[in-house]
Amino acid sequence: MVQERPVISMIVPIYNAEKYLRRCLESVVNQTYTNLDIILIDDGSSDQSLEICRQYVQRDSRIQLYCQENRGVSAARNTGLEHMRGEYVVFVDSDDFISKHFVEILLKQIQKYQVALIMCDYVMLDENKEQAYIENFLPEMTQSCSRLVSCEEIYDNMFKEHESIRFCVPWGKIYHKKIFYDLRFEEGKIYEDILIFHKIYEQVSMVCCIDVVLYYYVRSCNSITRKDGITQRDIERAYGLMRRLQYFHEQKQEK
């Protein structure tokens, strides 16, 4: 029996990312799985990001490009969700990049386990250090690296340093579109991940985790989450954590 080849929507929010954007888009358009709906959202960039996006639109008919005034990454992701055509959705940040096998590997396992959410592992790369990455595995090797994880287990590990990022960020995952039927990222907040992931996990009973690095997170010196001192980001992170605790309390999940 021939397995389905569903459309995968890949949403890339972009703001002043010209330094990294070509590398990001190359990793997206060169996926080994080709049935893609690629959505680029330029969030009011003032550098050459929009021009780079237009060049890729001319090269690849799978790409949709939308432009909006600067409203932040959450608003850009929401714009992508409004225009997605796929059965599944992926978020890729414009300064990051992904393995060429990212979609192929995750989709095979999501179809095998029949789950609505799957995630891979990631590695952080510092932009100030030259770090080569090697995809020293084959897609078939991931069979022994896949595991089903309950949401209770995720909650138990949510505050471990590596897992807190892996479990609670939009990137590095494939979602079934039904998760976002009535759910959107809260706009105007820096830590939008803190505000949404307990709502995402509420909709799924099990998650598939693949313990293979397929996502490359680039730590930019200019990142809004890496400024020194007490800033608005610290206040918003505390606000997001308070909202999460309030949610768990209302759900009577005292642990």
Side-chain angles (χ1 to χ4, degrees), residues 18-47:
E18 63 178 7
K19 183 176 179 180
Y20 317 96
L21 187 54
R22 292 185 188 278
R23 180 180 62 189
C24 172
L25 297 183
E26 285 295 313
S27 75
V28 171
V29 301
N30 290 315
Q31 288 292 295
T32 54
Y33 185 89
T34 58
N35 199 18
L36 305 177
D37 164 41
I38 302 168
I39 306 171
L40 311 182
I41 304 96
D42 182 78
D43 190 44
S45 296
S46 57
D47 64 0

Side-chain angles (χ1 to χ4, degrees), residues 20-21 23-25 27-28 92-98 171 215-219:
Y20 317 96
L21 187 54
R23 180 180 62 189
C24 172
L25 297 183
S27 75
V28 171
V92 183
D93 285 353
S94 58
D95 45 0
D96 301 337
F97 57 103
I98 56 178
W171 45 259
Y215 193 98
Y216 301 90
Y217 174 76
V218 180
R219 297 191 297 182

Side-chain angles (χ1 to χ4, degrees), residues 20 23-25 27-28 31 91-103 105 120-127 131-137 162 165 169 171-173 212-220:
Y20 317 96
R23 180 180 62 189
C24 172
L25 297 183
S27 75
V28 171
Q31 288 292 295
F91 300 103
V92 183
D93 285 353
S94 58
D95 45 0
D96 301 337
F97 57 103
I98 56 178
S99 160
K100 65 181 180 181
H101 300 293
F102 179 94
V103 174
I105 290 174
C120 65
D121 207 348
Y122 71 96
V123 66
M124 286 188 176
L125 303 177
D126 195 317
E127 71 167 350
Q131 296 194 33
Y133 71 98
I134 302 174
E135 294 182 347
N136 56 355
F137 63 91
H162 184 82
I165 297 177
V169 293
W171 45 259
K173 301 171 177 64
V212 175
V213 172
L214 299 173
Y215 193 98
Y216 301 90
Y217 174 76
V218 180
R219 297 191 297 182
S220 166

Side-chain angles (χ1 to χ4, degrees), residues 73-85:
V73 65
S74 292
R77 290 193 185 112
N78 289 341
T79 297
L81 289 170
E82 294 299 325
H83 294 283
M84 64 173 282
R85 299 187 290 234

